[in-house]
Every structure is written in structure tokens, then in C-alpha cells.
Amino acid sequence: MIKRVLIANRGEIAVRIIRACRELGIEPVAVYSRGDENSLHVKLANEAYCIGPPSARDSYLNMQNIVSTAIGAEVDAIHPGYGFLAENSTFADLCQQCGLIFIGPSPRAIEEMGNKERARKLMEKAGVPIVPGSKGDLEDALEAMEVAGKVGYPVMLKAAAGGGGKGMRLVKEPDFLKRAFSLTRNEAEKAFSNPQIYLEKFISRPRHVEVQVLADNYGNVIHLGERDCSIQRRHQKLIEEAPCPVLDENLRQKMGEAAVRAAQAVDYTGAGTVEFLLDADGNFYFMEMNTRIQVEHPVTEMVTGIDLVKAQLQIAGGEELDLKQKDVKLEGAAIECRINAEDPAQDFLPRPGLIKEWLPPGGPGIRVDSFIYSGYVVVPHYDSLLAKVIAWGTDREEARRRMSRALGEMRLEGVPTPIDLYKVILEDDNFCSGNYDTGFLPGLIEGKEGV
Ligand code: MV4
């Protein structure tokens, strides 16, 4: 049983974790940087401890300070949230060494999924579909030429230590491959201190479809359906929804089963997400597994009725999943819009500053996960997510209309946001029909300047 939890994070996710703790009768302990003294998670927690100066490197990424604070505060466990130390196997291991429960999978599972090339190999062995490409990491450009010749152009070179769009390069024809190989290798060495690279056939304009899984410490693994996260730019997701509008029951079951096999292959525990590319012909391919709670988890909560953060806390406390696969039923549809302090007219440049007015939306089917209030000053040291607006409806059309209504109701003054852009997207014919892919937003932005 977990009685006290230290939350090694900030912003909306820290608030989200505090809420789950409260509902379970667990005492939440906050940590904060000197830039976050006025943050909501500090006010809402039972206790809060300063762990360093504003820069993330010296505070939310400072493992020693966080673990020392956890020991001093006599907590049983640490919840890392997302970002920061959430997928750092060294941190998960350090927690264990200090007798603290890390709320997440084992250090080994984090590490095995962290190396994207090793994960790819593991998935192939586990019978999870992967994109045709290299067997292991590539020896040299010659081997890359050979593999690319076999799978056909265009191809993608990817750094084993990359992920989330980092360290990858599209190669359209053989003439460019040698040069691209050495560039990608050098960048991988510089950025990740790991020069390993692998090659995949390029999947054109895929949908980004990810499957939520839950696994306990006793070998029970279930999936909770999928989220479509194709509305993104430069690998920043802006709008997500559940279920994916183009999946039928048959494909949903196949992807769900593949995600469960992926989790089982690394003895996964806790909440995790298996990310797939889905092509226009209904083929799906494993991309990576995120070994953390994700920003977009609420859309899954809304259609399954399952509280994922509570599930994380219960699993980490040693409880057995009382839920079986047949008990998971998807009901209705949910859409999430991320409200960032960013200016779409200036290439989504982050714009911290004073929140002059914040009136969140409400009413039927609307959920808001946020940490801001009128008078709060957004600091420049962290990511720019201020709030997530989630709309649920009995079907996708009701969710979409509720989201439009919510965006119309809310007032957020003082910093620029993409709210007006979202209003346009929600009325777009292709969005309305569910006919979109990862090329949708770049196309919309280029076609409509200034939106
Ligand atoms: C790809 C791809 C096409 N073919 N791999 C980007 C994030 C990372 N998780 C994988 N990514 C991609 N990998 C092959 N073999 C296209 C992308 C991609 C993408 C994927 C998901 C969502 C948005 C994207 C935007 C551009 C490229």
C-alpha cells in the first residue's frame, strides 16, 4: 500500500496526480523550482519542497535533490508524470536503490523501449508488425544502400537513441543515401552520444494511432483502445481523439492485441502507450513505446471510464488489476485540445507572460485539466502547455460540437494561444469526416497564412 507520494513534476500533470492521490486517500507531496513558487500544484499539495533554481536541469531533472527530498519527506513512492525524469531508467533505478517505489515500469523495460532499434528487434520477435527495414543497426553506408535497395525508396534513417521525431531523416533516392547516412550518424553521436542508426521504408502520410495499455505486477495485461494523434506539427501534438475515427472493431482488436504483446515482451508494468503508424490501406506498424502516462491520456479516460492515474498508483502499490479485457467497453467519443502559450502567427513561438484573465469552459461533457489562474505568470523555463480542454459526447459529432462550444466560451487573455486555429480545424470538412492524417495540419497552416 502506498500512503504518501512525491510528485516529481509541475504544471497540469502535477495537479492531475494530486487529484488522483486525493481520491485514493494518498497524501501528495509536491516539489517545485524557484520559478514555480506560485504554481497551483504547490498550493494543492499537503506539503511542498523547493528543489532548486528555475532551470529544469537544476530542479525537476535534479535526481539527487528529488530523491533526498523524497527520503526526508518519508514518502513511499515517486510519480514522475511525463517529460523530465519519466523515462529515465537511471532515475527509476535510483528510486529502487533508495527503497522508493518508482511509479512506472522497471528500469529494464524503460531501457529496452528507450533504444528504438532494440525495441524494433524485440517487437519483431514478439510478432508485433514493424516497418520493413534493417535487421539490426547499420554497419556503414554500404549496408544502408543494400537494405534501401531491397525495401525500396523513399526510406527513413533513424537514430536508435532518438524517438518522438528526433534524429530521423527522409531519403528520397539512392544518390542522397551516403551523405544522409553520415549526417544522421554524426547528429546522433552529438545529440544522444550514440551513433547507432537503423533504416525503415518511408510510410507516406500515415495516421498516428497509439494504444493505451495497463499491466499489473502479476502478469495481467490489457489494452484500453486507441487514440488518434495525427493532428500535429513538428512532432508536437495539438488535438487528439479517441477512438480513432477510421478503425473498425476488427482492426482495433488486432492493434490492441499487438500492443499487449509489445508490453508482455518487456514484462511491462503500469500504464504505457504503444505507438503505431497506420497507412491508408489499414496496415499498422510499431513505432515506439512510451513508458509513461501521456499528455493525451484523458481522452482514453473519457471513453473507458477508467482513471489511468489512479490505476498507476494502485498497480505500483501492488494491487492486482480487477479489470479483464472483456470488461473494457468504449463508450462515445472524446476530443482533446491542448492550450499552449504559443503564437501560431509566429511559427508557434512560446510566449510566456501574465494571464490577465482565465475563464475555463464547462457544462455537459467538458473537462479541463489545467494549473493556471487569473493573475498567474507563465514562466519561460518549461514547456508551454497551460490547459487541456477535453470534450466527451455520445458520438464523435457531439464531442466535436461540445468542443466548439467550449472553445467559444473560454476566455484566456494575456498570452497568445491556438484557440482560434482550433475553431477553424473543428469546422474543417476533412476533420469533420475524420478523413485526416499527419499531413493535415502542415497543409492547413501552409494553405491559410496567419491562422
Ligand atoms: C516514420 C514516418 C514514415 N515512415 N517512419 C515521427 C515521430 C516518430 N515517432 C516516428 N515518426 C515518423 N516515422 C517511417 N518509416 C513518419 C513519421 C512522421 C510522423 C509520425 C507520427 C506523427 C507525425 C509524423 C509527422 C512526420 C513524420
Side-chain angles (χ1 to χ4, degrees):
M1 264 285 282
I2 294 176
K3 288 209 187 78
R4 256 162 93 76
V5 168
L6 181 136
I7 300 156
N9 215 302
R10 64 178 302 282
E12 68 86 20
I13 193 64
V15 172
R16 172 71 188 86
I17 297 163
I18 290 171
R19 288 175 170 150
C21 287
R22 293 268 179 245
E23 291 186 21
L24 290 172
I26 293 172
E27 294 171 30
V29 175
V31 294
Y32 63 97
S33 75
R34 283 208 312 272
D36 271 338
E37 282 154 352
N38 298 319
S39 264
L40 192 57
H41 76 285
V42 175
K43 301 179 203 285
L44 291 181
N46 281 30
E47 294 160 35
Y49 299 96
C50 184
I51 48 165
S55 92
R57 198 171 55 94
D58 298 323
S59 53
Y60 299 105
L61 289 170
N62 188 329
M63 299 191 218
Q64 280 74 28
N65 281 8
I66 290 168
V67 169
S68 302
T69 304
I71 293 168
E74 299 190 317
V75 301
D76 309 302
I78 298 187
H79 196 308
Y82 54 68
F84 298 128
L85 298 168
E87 293 178 276
N88 186 316
S89 59
T90 306
F91 181 65
D93 198 48
L94 180 65
C95 290
Q96 278 187 359
Q97 303 289 328
C98 296
L100 297 159
I101 298 170
F102 174 80
I103 299 174
S106 68
R108 194 187 68 96
I110 297 174
E111 214 167 286
E112 286 189 318
M113 287 300 183
N115 185 307
K116 306 306 167 189
E117 189 276 316
R118 187 169 41 192
R120 183 177 141 84
K121 222 185 291 172
L122 262 170
M123 292 306 108
E124 186 179 28
K125 229 176 78 190
V128 179
I130 57 168
V131 184
S134 53
K135 287 280 170 260
D137 51 309
L138 296 161
E139 277 297 321
D140 49 30
L142 215 68
E143 192 190 350
M145 288 294 279
E146 220 176 280
V147 180
K150 256 188 230 150
V151 300
Y153 288 83
V155 297
M156 282 199 113
L157 291 172
K158 297 185 176 186
K166 288 191 211 103
M168 55 181 227
R169 183 174 261 105
L170 174 63
V171 185
K172 291 190 176 157
E173 27 179 318
D175 287 356
F176 302 144
L177 187 57
K178 273 198 178 129
R179 177 94 190 111
F181 181 90
S182 66
L183 281 173
T184 309
R185 166 148 285 180
N186 289 341
E187 283 167 14
E189 172 74 69
K190 262 208 197 113
F192 317 113
S193 314
N194 178 355
Q196 281 186 316
I197 54 177
Y198 62 103
L199 182 150
E200 287 177 354
K201 185 172 176 59
F202 176 66
I203 309 298
S204 177
R205 294 190 60 146
R207 296 180 80 115
H208 172 135
V209 179
E210 56 185 36
V211 178
Q212 179 71 51
V213 298
L214 276 181
D216 67 14
N217 304 337
Y218 312 97
N220 301 302
V221 188
I222 59 170
H223 71 86
L224 304 184
E226 78 287 353
R227 299 182 283 263
D228 193 314
C229 307
S230 301
I231 309 285
Q232 38 174 293
R233 63 172 289 286
R234 301 204 187 146
H235 309 297
Q236 291 290 340
K237 296 167 187 164
L238 292 175
I239 300 178
E240 306 96 347
E241 64 174 310
C244 166
V246 299
L247 277 204
D248 57 28
E249 255 331 298
N250 177 42
L251 192 48
R252 172 165 304 115
Q253 193 181 335
K254 275 196 188 139
M255 292 181 78
E257 286 168 359
V260 167
R261 283 198 297 278
Q264 286 167 334
V266 294
D267 295 321
Y268 198 85
T269 53
T273 300
V274 184
E275 181 189 319
F276 296 101
L277 294 187
L278 176 65
D279 73 14
D281 303 320
N283 303 305
F284 64 90
Y285 309 95
F286 172 85
M287 279 286 108
E288 35 194 88
M289 181 170 189
N290 301 314
T291 57
R292 59 168 192 273
I293 191 78
Q294 287 194 275
V295 176
E296 59 271 25
H297 76 275
V299 292
T300 298
E301 296 186 322
M302 301 289 268
V303 297
T304 60
I306 295 163
D307 186 316
L308 288 166
V309 181
K310 279 209 271 197
Q312 284 188 298
L313 291 161
Q314 288 167 324
I315 289 168
E319 287 181 44
E320 194 173 338
L321 267 180
D322 46 15
L323 213 63
K324 300 282 167 247
Q325 189 64 57
K326 64 167 172 39
D327 303 324
V328 179
K329 296 216 164 58
L330 304 185
E331 205 180 314
I335 302 173
E336 172 179 277
C337 286
R338 297 190 188 193
I339 312 297
N340 301 308
E342 291 177 358
D343 188 356
Q346 285 189 62
D347 204 28
F348 293 83
L349 182 74
R351 292 279 299 277
L354 170 69
I355 306 289
K356 293 193 183 121
E357 188 182 14
W358 167 230
L359 283 174
I366 297 298
R367 164 177 169 182
V368 179
D369 280 20
S370 179
F371 72 111
I372 60 168
Y373 48 85
S374 298
Y376 175 75
V377 177
V378 181
V379 293
H381 310 283
Y382 319 106
D383 86 42
S384 59
L385 184 68
L386 303 180
K388 306 185 302 205
V389 177
I390 305 107
W392 180 87
T394 52
D395 57 26
R396 186 172 184 268
E397 183 59 10
E398 188 178 42
R400 188 187 68 80
R401 284 165 172 268
R402 280 181 168 162
M403 181 62 83
S404 286
R405 167 182 63 78
L407 296 178
E409 276 175 25
M410 64 193 277
R411 292 278 174 276
L412 211 180
E413 305 295 339
V415 296
T417 70
I419 294 170
D420 289 341
L421 171 64
Y422 294 161
K423 289 177 183 167
V424 172
I425 294 172
L426 287 164
E427 300 297 328
D428 181 277
D429 286 345
N430 287 324
F431 182 82
C432 289
S433 63
N435 171 32
Y436 63 84
D437 57 43
T438 51
F440 174 86
L441 195 55
L444 188 77
I445 292 167
E446 260 139 63
K448 290 185 184 168
E449 278 227 316
V451 191

